[in-house]
Amino acid sequence: MSQQPSAADLLPGKPTSASRTTLSHIMTGNDTNLLGTVHGGVIMKLVDDAAGAVAGRHSGGPAVTASMDEMAFLEPVRVGDLVHVKAQVNWTGRSSMEIGVRVLAERWNESTPATQVGSAYLVFAAVDADGKPRQVPPVIPETDRDRRRYEEAQIRRTHRLARRRAIKELRERGRAGEGRETED
């Protein structure tokens, strides 16, 4: 069982705005799928890149993707769209961080407002030079929206952990029953 960190172990907190970032990219023909729209994997890479930048900024060093969940594609992205990937830290644990990402698209040559085309939540783990987990500073939500995102992230974390536990238990029960043969 791990111990709770003492007050002396805690790093000073960082506000949400300290690591928030936007990555922008114009989509080209190289980014398309068989339907002629931008491939979801291209968008997912941009999401991971932006989230990784935020995680590294917040943690002050390397961080690796631990999971991606709730990736939602709301609208197709087309060649010629200028895609903006906005990311921020929603929640922090001892060595992990949930990064929330919004994906927006607008025509590169028009002055119409950008439309939200996707969103995702990723969990990153801060690591040291040996790849071992390292402590991250707590995130300090600054606005009502940041506080809401922090609380929602805690709910998602609870669900991720419960799902992981339930799957592990199911697999262990399955292994226990694999050695037995039944008679008809």
Side-chain angles (χ1 to χ4, degrees):
M1 183 193 277
S2 64
Q3 293 180 340
Q4 291 291 338
S6 70
D9 291 336
L10 294 177
L11 297 172
K14 283 186 172 180
T16 307
S17 62
S19 57
R20 189 177 289 138
T21 193
T22 301
L23 175 88
S24 297
H25 188 80
I26 294 178
M27 299 290 107
T28 68
N30 292 334
D31 301 319
T32 60
N33 59 26
L34 296 175
L35 299 175
T37 56
V38 173
H39 195 288
V42 171
I43 301 299
M44 289 173 71
K45 182 177 182 335
L46 294 174
V47 164
D48 191 48
D49 288 347
V54 167
R57 282 180 171 184
H58 183 82
S59 69
V64 296
T65 311
S67 69
M68 174 188 270
D69 58 36
E70 297 187 39
M71 180 73 209
F73 296 101
L74 306 172
E75 298 284 336
V77 177
R78 301 170 294 164
V79 170
D81 281 354
L82 178 56
V83 171
H84 307 286
V85 184
K86 298 177 175 282
Q88 75 171 47
V89 176
N90 288 338
W91 174 91
T92 54
R94 181 163 173 79
S95 62
S96 63
M97 302 159 274
E98 183 194 89
I99 313 298
V101 182
R102 288 179 50 225
V103 183
L104 301 121
E106 62 181 306
R107 296 305 294 168
W108 70 274
N109 59 349
E110 296 176 7
S111 59
T112 56
T115 302
Q116 185 171 351
V117 295
S119 64
Y121 299 102
L122 296 88
V123 176
F124 274 74
V127 294
D128 63 18
D130 297 322
K132 303 289 184 210
R134 64 182 175 80
Q135 189 176 355
V136 299
V139 67
I140 302 169
E142 299 173 280
T143 66
D144 288 342
R145 189 178 207 180
D146 292 341
R147 284 184 279 282
R148 177 186 53 80
R149 287 178 174 168
Y150 184 90
E151 290 174 14
E152 289 172 357
Q154 289 178 305
I155 293 167
R156 282 187 294 274
R157 179 176 186 272
T158 299
H159 286 255
R160 276 191 294 269
L161 293 174
R163 183 177 61 234
R164 185 179 305 148
R165 220 176 7 259
I167 290 170
K168 183 179 177 183
E169 289 170 6
L170 182 64
R171 288 180 178 172
E172 287 172 357
R173 282 197 310 265
R175 276 194 293 273
E178 285 175 4
R180 291 187 238 150
E181 290 186 31
T182 60
E183 291 183 22
D184 291 351

